[in-house]
Amino acid sequence: MATERRIGVAIDFSSSSKSALKWAMENVIRKEDHLTLITIQPEGNYEKGEMQLWEGIGSPFFSLCSINYPATMKKYGVKHDPEVVEIVSNGAKQKEVEVLMEAYWGDPREKLCEAIDSIPLNCIIVGNRGLGKLKRAIMGSVSNYVVNNGSCAVTVVKHHE
């Protein structure tokens, strides 16, 4: 009997996170895995009622069907991206995986580490923006933080233009 694997992919809808998602679908995800897309939104600019309800623990999980509906995504302040929908829809169909999405609000570094434990994940895949040493030192690297503080295996996928 195969063990159940829960794989997370951090997605901010940038080209580097889409590359990480594609890479995960091609190289990591296998039949009957559970794939969770994790998106972190900045705090504020949302209806207070919805955000206050979920900001501490993350949103309810969105199913693949919900990810495809812009109205559902807008309700939680999450960008509807047809390219991401296509990547996960095709991958889910080919590899027979369950795909969910969860939104968090706040600092991406801390919230990704929280998501690892609350979902819980066996591994997480994050994209790399390719910041230089100086920018990385000033701004801080999300992927570097998750590698050093996450409680599961972390794969960083370099984005190549």
Side-chain angles (χ1 to χ4, degrees):
M1 184 173 146
T3 59
E4 181 179 282
R5 294 187 333 151
R6 295 189 178 277
I7 313 295
V9 176
I11 187 93
D12 64 2
F13 307 99
S14 65
S15 56
S16 61
S17 70
K18 290 176 190 177
S19 291
L21 178 59
K22 288 175 190 173
W23 185 88
M25 285 298 204
E26 293 169 4
N27 297 291
V28 177
I29 304 299
R30 62 183 185 221
K31 186 176 180 174
E32 297 182 8
D33 280 348
H34 296 272
L35 172 63
T36 303
L37 305 179
I38 303 162
T39 184
I40 315 297
Q41 303 300 313
E43 292 185 62
N45 299 333
Y46 304 112
E47 295 177 26
K48 275 296 192 194
E50 290 290 335
M51 188 175 157
Q52 284 180 341
L53 185 61
W54 304 112
E55 70 182 339
I57 58 171
S59 71
F61 287 105
F62 309 128
S63 67
L64 184 54
C65 293
S66 297
I67 295 169
N68 201 19
Y69 290 110
T72 302
M73 303 304 281
K74 184 179 179 182
K75 180 177 179 180
Y76 294 98
V78 177
K79 178 181 177 182
H80 174 74
D81 190 317
E83 184 179 359
V84 170
V85 172
E86 183 180 345
I87 294 167
V88 295
S89 295
N90 291 340
K93 193 181 305 178
Q94 290 173 351
K95 305 230 177 169
E96 298 175 30
V97 296
E98 178 185 2
V99 179
L100 299 171
M101 177 183 270
E102 188 170 21
Y104 290 84
W105 292 270
D107 181 355
R109 295 173 291 188
E110 294 171 6
K111 292 300 181 175
L112 283 174
C113 290
E114 284 179 27
I116 289 169
D117 295 328
S118 68
I119 292 175
L121 297 174
N122 298 104
C123 74
I124 189 167
I125 298 151
V126 296
N128 181 312
R129 292 185 296 174
L131 296 176
K133 289 181 183 179
L134 181 60
K135 282 187 180 178
R136 189 171 42 240
I138 294 169
M139 295 170 56
S141 167
V142 172
S143 57
N144 190 48
Y145 185 91
V146 175
V147 165
N148 289 307
N149 296 289
S151 61
C152 70
V154 180
T155 301
V156 180
V157 178
K158 286 195 166 229
H159 175 66
H160 300 286
E161 302 259 348

